């Protein structure tokens, strides 16, 4: 059939001749006008100018009860509004560990006004809304994204969810099941990074503040009930520990809604004064957390994942309120890293130290990644690496060597690349409205104000090589925190890891065996 059609087309051309084609801009009929010259007869365009300043700065109002209301104007049909609370697992020293984990699962359940979670979701659906709750070690965040016209409904719903949850026996029992399932999933998943993060915090801050368990321990699941939850909520869900943050809303309208629903509201647990508020400052201890586990059956199938041993080594950095926070953030970017198969494999445009010095040189390492955790009173810079159990000792020495090299010479090109990458990640993340909301809420919760992106970018540009060397040298004077998961038969002693970080070359002390 295609050949017949082609023959018909040829015969038609022979009969009627080829059609006349228009000559476009490449033809001689049109004058050659360069794109840099204005078109004749077209008004001169007026382009937007950028002066490095945000015209709509974050506005903050503190209500009579201590609640802070923060807003960031942003054009668009939708808004993101939420309540951030200065609460989390770090405040559970006097309570059963795991309460914050329970509250995350119980969020957006039945309240005084809404009989079920389904009713809440249907209410949000009328305004095209979605909801979420996330808890971390130091913050609990209830958030809703919806049409801006439904702001009054959204704030009223958030106030009800936070201050008037029913916490029925049925809901608590369902939460117990959800927590058990999550703990099982945590121990079975092929990616051990969440579990290692828990372990490194446990080792770095032994039995205090951010070192307390973020996930509910199995033995506490049956012990957490409504009286326990109310006791915790009475102390930590108070207006002076809350921020109502909104992005894409008018500030006066948000303040008006806050006064209507959150000022003078009597919570479900009563209006008694907070009694046992934990004001402890994080105490860095260093240490080791070991978990012997057979990792050979973590990922089964036709192409099973190889058995690996995972090591994470961390050192104390600083809080996000200190001036050295950004040099540490730049140092974390310089370290970089990832998996041995990231973005097509090493050697394809990867320039961070953990790629150049580790993954490109040691083919047997499956992963080498840098992480930086920062809190209001402390911070932790750590490297996660994984390899075959028989090569654990060599892997640990490679990590300690990279830590020691951070206090050495800093290449200017390397530093500028890391600063550019950090600035790029900051600005790209702030393209998303929910990210702006979280940034506004967390900064106002911690400092009662917000540094705007252009201010942070200027501070990043000011980081010098000597700043990196200074913060790295101070970090290396600390005891290390070590988390180890898998077959640990060849794991060096903690004292040897500590000695390696104190050496100029980062090497482990030599050990000699009579029998091999």
């Amino acid at each position: 059939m295609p050949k017949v059609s082609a023959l018909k087309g040829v015969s038609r051309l022979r009969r009627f001749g080829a059609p006349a084609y228009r000559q476009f801009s490449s033809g001689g009929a049109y004058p050659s006008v360069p794109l840099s010259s204005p078109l004749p007869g077209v008004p001169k365009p007026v382009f937007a100018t950028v002066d490095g300043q945000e015209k709509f700065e974050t506005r903050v109002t503190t209500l009579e009860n201590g609640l802070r209301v923060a807003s960031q104007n942003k054009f668009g049909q939708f808004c993101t509004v939420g309540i951030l609370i200065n609460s989390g697992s770090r405040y559970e020293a006097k309570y059963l560990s795991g309460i914050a984990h329970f509250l995350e699962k119980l969020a957006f359940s039945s309240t005084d006004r809404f009989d079920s979670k389904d009713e809440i979701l249907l209410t949000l659906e009328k305004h095209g809304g979605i909801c979420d709750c996330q808890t971390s070690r130091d913050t609990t965040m209830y958030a809703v994204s919806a049409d801006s016209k439904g702001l009054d409904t959204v704030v009223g719903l958030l106030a009800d969810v936070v201050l008037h949850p029913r916490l029925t026996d049925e809901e608590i029992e369902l939460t117990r099941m959800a927590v058990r399932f999550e703990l099982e999933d945590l121990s079975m998943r092929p990616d051990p990074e969440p579990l290692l993060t828990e372990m490194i915090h446990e080792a770095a801050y032994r039995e205090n503040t951010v070192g307390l368990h973020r996930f509910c321990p199995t033995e506490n699941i049956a012990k957490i009930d409504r009286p326990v939850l109310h006791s915790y909520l009475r102390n930590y869900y108070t207006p002076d520990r809350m921020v109502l943050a909104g992005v894409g809303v008018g500030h006066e309208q948000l303040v008006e809604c806050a006064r209507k629903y959150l000022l003078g509201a009597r919570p479900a647990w009563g209006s008694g004064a907070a009694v046992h508020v934990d004001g402890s400052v994080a105490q860095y201890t260093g240490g080791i957390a070991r978990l012997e586990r057979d990792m050979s059956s973590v990922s089964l199938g036709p192409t099973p994942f190889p058995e690996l041993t995972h090591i994470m080594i961390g050192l104390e950095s600083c809080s996000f309120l200190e001036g050295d926070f950004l040099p540490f953030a730049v140092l974390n970017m310089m370290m970089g890293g990832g998996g041995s198969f990231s973005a097509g494999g090493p050697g394809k445009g990867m320039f961070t130290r953990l790629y150049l010095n580790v993954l490109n040189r040691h083919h047997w390492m499956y992963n080498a990644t840098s992480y930086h955790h920062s809190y209001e009173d402390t911070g932790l810079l750590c490297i996660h690496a994984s390899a075959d159990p028989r090569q654990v000792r060599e892997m640990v020495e490679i990590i300690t060597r990279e830590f020691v090299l951070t206090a050495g010479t800093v290449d200017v090109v390397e530093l500028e690349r890391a600063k550019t990458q950090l600035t790029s990640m900051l600005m790209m993340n702030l393209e998303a409205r929910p990210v702006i909301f979280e940034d506004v809420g967390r900064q106002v919760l911690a400092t009662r104000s917000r540094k705007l992106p252009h201010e942070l970018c200027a501070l990043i540009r000011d980081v010098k090589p000597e700043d990196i060397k200074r913060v790295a040298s101070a970090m290396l004077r600390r005891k290390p925190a070590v988390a180890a998961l898998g077959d640990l038969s060849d794991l060096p002693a903690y004292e040897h890891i500590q000695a390696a970080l104190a050496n100029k070359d980062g090497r482990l002390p030599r050990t000699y065996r009579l029998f091999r």
Side-chain angles (χ1 to χ4, degrees):
M1 289 296 291
K3 290 183 178 179
V4 174
S5 301
L7 290 171
K8 286 183 178 178
V10 170
S11 62
R12 193 177 293 116
L13 282 172
R14 286 174 178 167
R15 288 175 57 195
F16 301 105
Y21 291 100
R22 286 183 58 193
Q23 289 188 335
F24 292 97
S25 57
S26 59
Y30 290 86
S32 179
V33 180
L35 294 177
S36 57
S37 301
L39 293 173
V42 177
K44 188 177 180 180
V46 179
F47 296 103
T49 58
V50 179
D51 59 2
Q53 303 289 325
E54 285 195 14
K55 297 299 182 185
F56 301 97
E57 296 187 358
T58 303
R59 298 178 60 185
V60 182
T61 299
T62 304
L63 302 186
E64 294 81 351
N65 61 354
L67 176 83
R68 280 154 283 172
V69 182
S71 71
Q72 177 79 29
N73 203 343
K74 186 175 176 67
F75 296 108
Q77 180 182 353
F78 285 84
C79 65
T80 299
V81 182
I83 295 177
L84 291 92
I85 307 163
N86 198 1
S87 73
S89 59
R90 69 168 294 164
Y91 300 106
E92 294 175 357
K94 298 178 181 178
Y95 292 90
L96 289 169
S97 183
I99 292 176
H101 190 191
F102 257 68
L103 290 172
E104 179 184 73
K105 301 300 175 192
L106 284 163
F108 294 98
S109 296
S110 65
T111 68
D112 288 351
R113 286 173 50 211
F114 301 96
D115 291 332
S116 67
K117 178 175 283 190
D118 289 342
E119 193 173 331
I120 290 175
L121 296 177
L122 286 170
T123 302
L124 288 175
E125 192 178 314
K126 295 174 184 175
H127 301 283
I130 56 173
C131 61
D132 187 28
C133 176
Q134 296 178 8
T135 60
S136 61
R137 286 182 159 76
D138 54 359
T139 308
T140 302
M141 180 175 65
Y142 298 80
V144 171
S145 287
D147 193 302
S148 303
K149 295 175 183 177
L151 179 64
D152 186 83
T153 303
V154 166
V155 176
L157 187 148
L158 282 167
D160 219 40
V161 165
V162 173
L163 299 177
H164 305 289
R166 285 183 181 171
L167 305 179
T168 64
D169 293 338
E170 182 183 0
E171 288 170 347
I172 291 174
E173 190 55 43
L174 287 172
T175 300
R176 289 192 180 113
M177 293 171 59
V179 168
R180 286 192 188 98
F181 176 80
E182 188 166 350
L183 292 177
E184 290 175 9
D185 177 67
L186 189 68
S187 62
M188 292 172 59
R189 60 191 298 172
D191 174 24
E193 194 269 327
L195 182 57
L196 279 168
T197 301
E198 289 301 298
M199 293 171 65
I200 198 74
H201 280 83
E202 180 187 342
Y205 306 92
R206 186 71 64 180
E207 297 180 356
N208 76 90
T209 56
V210 293
L212 301 176
H213 291 285
R214 192 170 76 84
F215 296 101
C216 180
T218 307
E219 63 270 16
N220 288 352
I221 293 176
K223 299 176 185 176
I224 296 177
D225 54 16
R226 192 187 303 108
V228 170
L229 295 170
H230 276 184
S231 174
Y232 178 87
L233 292 167
R234 186 176 296 110
N235 287 315
Y236 293 104
Y237 277 43
T238 54
D240 58 300
R241 301 176 68 88
M242 294 183 183
V243 169
L244 173 66
V247 176
V249 296
H251 187 71
E252 288 76 13
Q253 188 182 2
L254 188 62
V255 171
E256 183 183 338
C257 292
R259 291 186 179 278
K260 180 178 178 181
Y261 294 107
L262 292 163
L263 187 61
R266 189 177 188 276
W269 46 87
S271 54
V275 181
H276 301 296
V277 178
D278 187 0
S280 303
V281 177
Q283 301 296 317
Y284 181 85
T285 60
I288 185 167
R290 302 164 51 103
L291 183 57
E292 290 266 3
R293 177 177 290 176
D294 180 9
M295 306 290 284
S296 59
S297 59
V298 167
S299 178
L300 301 176
T303 54
F305 204 70
E307 180 183 0
L308 299 175
T309 295
H310 301 270
I311 305 294
M312 190 177 279
I313 299 177
L315 293 165
E316 187 180 22
S317 57
C318 71
S319 92
F320 56 71
L321 299 177
E322 297 179 48
D324 285 340
F325 169 66
L326 286 175
F328 270 114
V330 174
L331 175 59
N332 182 53
M333 280 292 165
M334 285 173 54
M335 300 305 291
S340 62
F341 200 67
S342 298
K348 294 185 172 66
M350 298 183 178
F351 299 102
T352 58
R353 288 190 176 187
L354 292 180
Y355 267 112
L356 291 175
N357 302 343
V358 178
L359 293 171
N360 279 0
R361 297 185 181 182
H362 307 284
H363 65 89
W364 45 267
M365 287 190 66
Y366 280 78
N367 179 63
T369 312
S370 176
Y371 297 95
H372 188 217
H373 307 280
S374 196
Y375 305 96
E376 195 170 338
D377 50 2
T378 187
L380 193 64
L381 183 75
C382 42
I383 296 176
H384 167 211
S386 54
D388 187 278
R390 293 166 294 183
Q391 293 169 303
V392 168
R393 181 180 176 82
E394 189 177 354
M395 174 174 66
V396 170
E397 189 171 76
I398 289 169
I399 299 173
T400 55
R401 194 183 308 147
E402 287 305 312
F403 264 120
V404 170
L405 287 173
T406 59
T409 304
V410 178
D411 182 65
V412 176
V413 175
E414 173 189 42
L415 177 62
E416 290 303 317
R417 185 187 298 121
K419 287 157 61 174
T420 302
Q421 186 178 358
L422 182 60
T423 304
S424 174
M425 286 182 64
L426 171 69
M427 300 309 293
M428 288 178 68
N429 286 333
L430 289 174
E431 287 287 303
R433 188 182 59 250
V435 176
I436 302 174
F437 154 77
E438 188 172 349
D439 182 54
V440 169
R442 285 184 180 275
Q443 286 202 51
V444 173
L445 192 64
T447 66
R448 299 182 177 272
S449 62
R450 181 192 179 215
K451 272 192 172 67
L452 295 174
H454 72 270
E455 297 177 78
L456 293 171
C457 290
L459 291 171
I460 293 170
R461 286 194 297 270
D462 289 341
V463 175
K464 305 287 192 298
E466 50 268 28
D467 296 324
I468 301 296
K469 292 181 68 173
R470 175 175 48 79
V471 298
S473 299
M475 175 179 69
L476 286 167
R477 289 194 287 269
R478 292 286 195 173
K479 290 175 62 178
V482 181
L485 173 67
D487 180 351
L488 308 180
S489 53
D490 284 342
L491 179 69
Y494 175 78
E495 293 76 16
H496 289 181
I497 297 174
Q498 188 175 359
L501 289 167
N503 292 339
K504 290 184 179 179
D505 58 2
R507 291 187 178 277
L508 292 164
R510 297 299 94 185
T511 57
Y512 301 96
R513 297 182 185 178
L514 188 59
F515 302 101
R516 288 189 177 272

